[in-house]
Amino acid sequence: MTWLITEMWSVLFLAFALGVAAGAWVITSRRRNIADRASSAKRTSAAEPAILLDAPDGPKDDLTQIIGIDPKTEKKLNDLGIFHLRQIAGWDEAASRWIEIRLNEPGRATRERWSEQASSMV
């Protein structure tokens, strides 16, 4: 009887140890993947575009006129240095990608055609 109890505990302990090791491996690989994605996003983002301003050049435009930009996104754009529709109209692909990464929404500005909408409003 004692032998059976010791055998069961050793098997249970071995299963527990394997579970902990597998869990640790999964967690570290996920963290590594997240870090790799973040570093690749920084590498692909290059330098900040020349269209950014430190302060608005005159009165700020209402960026919420663009379909897809809500007041919260407008605030984020203002924090990045985008205050005017002409700035958004002047985005090229690299600038658009840089903005999308900073907004933490890759592909959004391109998909919602912010630059084209701003061009028609300027």
Side-chain angles (χ1 to χ4, degrees):
M1 185 70 152
T2 309
W3 175 84
L4 183 60
I5 292 172
T6 16
E7 281 296 315
M8 294 300 288
W9 281 106
S10 62
V11 170
L12 288 173
F13 179 74
L14 180 62
F16 174 75
L18 287 173
V20 168
W25 178 73
V26 167
I27 289 171
T28 56
S29 68
R30 283 186 182 171
R31 287 183 183 162
R32 196 172 324 130
N33 285 344
I34 291 169
D36 289 346
R37 275 191 246 133
S39 67
S40 73
K42 288 179 183 174
R43 280 194 303 266
T44 58
S45 64
E48 65 182 43
I51 57 169
L52 303 179
L53 300 173
D54 292 329
D57 184 22
K60 293 189 316 185
D61 291 336
D62 181 15
L63 302 181
T64 60
Q65 295 176 41
I66 295 175
I67 297 170
I69 297 180
D70 57 359
K72 188 176 181 180
T73 305
E74 180 182 31
K75 170 78 170 97
K76 289 179 185 179
L77 289 170
N78 290 342
D79 292 343
L80 290 173
I82 305 292
F83 301 100
H84 304 286
L85 292 171
R86 69 176 185 276
Q87 289 176 281
I88 297 174
W91 287 355
D92 59 359
E93 187 178 328
S96 180
R97 194 173 323 120
W98 188 89
I99 296 293
E100 292 168 347
I101 289 170
R102 295 308 178 277
L103 292 176
N104 199 23
E105 298 184 36
R108 181 177 175 193
T110 306
R111 183 178 58 250
E112 295 177 355
R113 301 182 310 170
W114 291 356
S115 183
E116 293 174 26
Q117 291 183 57
S119 295
S120 68
M121 295 177 193
V122 175

